[in-house]
Amino acid sequence: MSTKKILPALLLGLSLMHANRADACTGITLKSDDGSTVVARTIDWSGSKMNNIYVVSPRNRTVRAITPDGADTGLEFTSKYGYVGLGMEQSEFVVDGMNEAGLSAALFYFPNYGEYQSFNREYADSTIGDLELVSWILSSFSTIDEVQDAIKNVRIVHIYPDALTVHWRITEASGRQVILEIENGIPRFYESEIGVLTNAPGYQWQITNLNNYVNLEPGSAGPTKLGALTLQAFGAGSGFLGLPGDYTPPSRFVRAAFLSSFNIPLKTGYDASMHAFHILNNFDVPLAVQYSRGAKLPDMPSATQWTIATDMRARMIYYRTMYNSVIRSINMNDIDFENIEFQWHPLDTVQRETIIPVTVQ
């Protein structure tokens, strides 16, 4: 088991994310007629260009978690399940993935609302950092009930004290989904009725806030009589007049809830996966909107660095990036998790859009 440490580049990236409030991740869940569940999301970091990777982890791999003092003296576990996940900067920090048992886990930034336990070296061997929790869940469990039982026996702490807190979305192959938030050091699980997650405030507040949009309906509104006038919509979709279009987490939550709840017919998990990308087009964050006028922008094309959709029934992971909008796939059915070596690779081997010329004859 190799010694791990927090890379200096990651510390810088976490500092920049904290300073620039790079907390615009948006998650949705879709169901198809064949019983498939698709979990999808954007990942947004506006502070810096991160080293975005995918990770393939085998069964029977022993890991010791990194503690905030930079040593690998935290919780030790041996993976029961293999998994594939997308992550950032170093291989321990998986942001979103699924294991071979069909359990999916993902983290989302949760600034100013979550509060972890403080790190205490006396309890280091039962401690795991927030950014390693996804990899622990995917390595160890097949159901939400198992996660809920195990969480009682671990201490979840900050890997880097000045970074943003996070909360988590955990989804079973059955379609059951929960949101995990750490409040005053206590893990709390909320059943996810709508299949949507963004950032702050907390999940229960976001659900309550949906009541402010009780008037929204698909289709067209009107015509409506106003005295001697007849008011008519200018075009289709007027039933969604009032749907918020800004990039704040509450507005994105409302927009994601309504756009993912009113769908075209989705026959298969593949159909739902592709439709998820269309919905999430509405949540691509142009880099400049997160900076004040005249501010120096990072050297990257978008604040939305990648988008992922996971077909949990078919065990297919699809993703695209800010550099290349072509959708790529990882078929977990083709991976021998008993014998494959632990590995990670960049999401983009070439950071450039794939452009296919059209031949005109």
Side-chain angles (χ1 to χ4, degrees), residues 280-301:
L280 291 174
N281 284 336
N282 293 273
F283 301 91
D284 272 3
V285 181
L287 187 64
V289 305
Q290 293 197 345
Y291 285 81
S292 300
R293 294 181 184 180
K296 184 179 180 180
L297 304 182
D299 182 21
M300 58 186 193

Side-chain angles (χ1 to χ4, degrees), residues 50 63 78 157 167 191 222 233 243 272 278 303 332 334 342 350:
M50 300 297 286
V63 176
T78 298
V157 302
H167 54 179
E191 296 291 330
L243 184 72
H278 289 294
M332 293 181 61
D334 294 338
F342 180 78
V350 177

Side-chain angles (χ1 to χ4, degrees), residues 36 81 92 150 177 243 330 335:
S36 299
Y81 304 105
E92 294 84 8
Q177 184 178 98
L243 184 72
I330 301 172
I335 300 174

Side-chain angles (χ1 to χ4, degrees), residues 110-287:
F110 190 43
N112 303 322
Y113 283 85
E115 184 179 354
Y116 309 143
Q117 289 182 290
S118 299
F119 174 59
N120 186 331
R121 286 185 179 84
E122 182 180 352
Y123 303 107
D125 60 357
S126 61
T127 296
I128 188 165
D130 53 351
L131 299 183
E132 284 194 90
L133 195 71
V134 168
S135 61
W136 174 63
I137 289 173
L138 296 179
S139 294
S140 307
F141 309 110
S142 62
T143 68
I144 289 170
D145 286 343
E146 290 176 356
V147 176
Q148 290 174 317
D149 288 340
I151 286 284
K152 301 172 186 176
N153 301 315
V154 299
R155 297 170 64 90
I156 301 170
V157 302
H158 263 304
I159 282 287
Y160 182 60
D162 290 336
L164 304 177
T165 49
V166 302
H167 54 179
W168 296 265
R169 176 186 69 186
I170 307 167
T171 313
E172 288 181 357
S174 67
R176 182 189 175 197
Q177 184 178 98
V178 297
I179 308 303
L180 167 62
E181 297 178 346
I182 312 295
E183 303 167 4
N184 299 316
I186 300 172
R188 301 193 186 279
F189 291 87
Y190 302 101
E191 296 291 330
S192 177
E193 303 97 331
I194 199 73
V196 169
L197 188 61
T198 57
N199 315 105
Y203 181 73
Q204 288 186 308
W205 185 96
Q206 301 277 21
I207 291 295
T208 300
N209 184 52
L210 290 176
N211 290 288
N212 282 318
Y213 302 90
V214 66
N215 60 297
L216 298 185
E217 286 285 345
S220 296
T224 300
K225 293 292 292 185
L226 184 65
L229 297 177
T230 298
L231 306 183
Q232 300 191 53
F234 290 118
S238 57
F240 270 12
L241 279 171
L243 184 72
D246 62 80
Y247 295 100
T248 62
S251 292
R252 287 184 287 105
F253 192 100
V254 173
R255 197 156 72 250
F258 278 89
L259 294 180
S260 61
S261 294
F262 298 103
N263 286 312
I264 62 173
L266 302 170
K267 294 182 179 180
T268 68
Y270 171 82
D271 296 329
S273 298
M274 297 304 104
H275 189 59
F277 283 104
H278 289 294
I279 292 174
L280 291 174
N281 284 336
N282 293 273
F283 301 91
D284 272 3
V285 181
L287 187 64

Side-chain angles (χ1 to χ4, degrees), residues 323-328 348 350-357:
Y323 293 111
N324 192 340
S325 55
V326 169
I327 297 172
R328 284 146 279 177
D348 294 293
V350 177
Q351 295 181 345
R352 185 175 182 178
E353 288 284 356
T354 297
I355 298 175
I356 302 173

